[in-house]
Amino acid sequence: MKIAVYPGSFDPVTNGHLDIIERAAGVFDKVIVSILQNTSKKPMFSMEEKVYLLQRVTKHLDNVEIDYFSGLLVNYMKNKKANVIIKGLRAVSDFEYEFQMALMNNKLEPNIETLFMMTSSKYSYLSSSIVKEVGKLGGCLKELVPDEIINEILRKIKNEGGEQNGNPITN
Ligand code: ADP
């Protein structure tokens, strides 16, 4: 059984992520979408929220599982009996960092391969941070994230903004 892991922050999942997940699910027996816990950036969405959103948008894919990890990706993969890392590439700017990571992971664990999937051109401009930025500024999230989670994402972004600004509504 060929098992691949698609790691990332998914803060929150976007249509660009979902496109990679769907395409990878067509190639591998099983794809584990795994949310990174040890990120230096403070995420907006909690781990439970990220898992919930990912589960909701992938429920049509039988061979996709949502999980999370901390520590070294290669150790996590050994536990999961997976030997392929899936990464999405949007632009040349993604390349240098991903190239270094792929070589380092291969040095740590030579049996593990990194496979890069090119973004679909219609999602090449999409990232979780730009989705949060657009949402904060009151822009429309249609076509940026799956329809069924737009309201949840907007609600969260509004609550975060309220807290940061001292929540003028309850003052
Ligand atoms: P971001 O916060 O930049 O969206 P993540 O850490 O959540 O990034 O991304 C996880 C993986 O998904 C990375 O391999 C990243 O390159 C890839 N990815 C993110 N957005 C897209 C997109 N629009 N098209 C293709 N791959 C993407």
Side-chain angles (χ1 to χ4, degrees):
M1 176 139 139
K2 276 274 165 216
I3 306 176
V5 169
Y6 177 40
S9 330
F10 306 106
D11 188 46
V13 57
T14 68
N15 277 340
H17 296 131
L18 185 56
D19 173 56
I20 298 284
I21 297 169
E22 285 172 341
R23 287 160 56 198
V27 175
F28 291 93
D29 298 316
K30 180 168 157 186
V31 175
I32 306 173
V33 180
S34 202
I35 308 162
L36 237 136
Q37 247 177 342
N38 51 335
T39 160
S40 47
K41 287 184 286 180
K42 189 182 168 342
M44 174 182 275
F45 292 80
S46 70
M47 187 53 78
E48 292 70 30
E49 288 166 334
K50 292 195 235 186
V51 168
Y52 166 79
L53 293 174
L54 274 163
Q55 276 173 343
R56 185 138 182 218
V57 302
T58 58
K59 60 174 190 282
H60 60 296
L61 301 165
D62 290 342
N63 60 340
V64 170
E65 183 183 305
I66 311 303
D67 193 23
Y68 52 88
F69 75 103
S70 57
L72 276 182
L73 176 61
V74 291
N75 290 344
Y76 167 80
M77 293 189 55
K78 272 193 270 178
N79 282 334
K80 292 280 170 188
K81 298 191 169 27
N83 58 1
V84 178
I85 304 171
I86 302 285
K87 287 295 184 107
L89 281 183
R90 278 163 291 195
V92 184
S93 52
D94 278 343
F95 180 78
E96 206 169 331
Y97 174 74
E98 295 295 354
F99 181 58
Q100 186 184 20
M101 285 295 288
L103 292 182
M104 179 49 81
N105 283 326
N106 188 259
K107 162 111 185 67
L108 292 170
E109 192 47 70
N111 294 328
I112 289 184
E113 288 290 350
T114 303
L115 279 193
F116 292 98
M117 294 188 105
M118 236 21 117
T119 181
S120 299
S121 56
K122 59 183 174 179
Y123 300 132
S124 62
Y125 62 93
L126 256 183
S127 70
S128 297
S129 30
I130 208 156
V131 164
K132 285 181 279 194
E133 203 56 40
V134 170
K136 261 186 216 164
L137 299 173
C140 173
L141 297 189
K142 200 160 172 56
E143 285 166 24
L144 307 188
V145 303
D147 285 347
E148 65 266 39
I149 59 170
I150 290 181
N151 287 338
E152 260 142 318
I153 290 177
L154 285 177
R155 204 176 313 132
K156 176 76 183 182
I157 292 174
K158 254 195 212 156
N159 286 341
E160 288 283 306
E163 274 160 33
Q164 273 162 18
N165 303 328
N167 202 346
I169 298 162
T170 56
N171 277 349

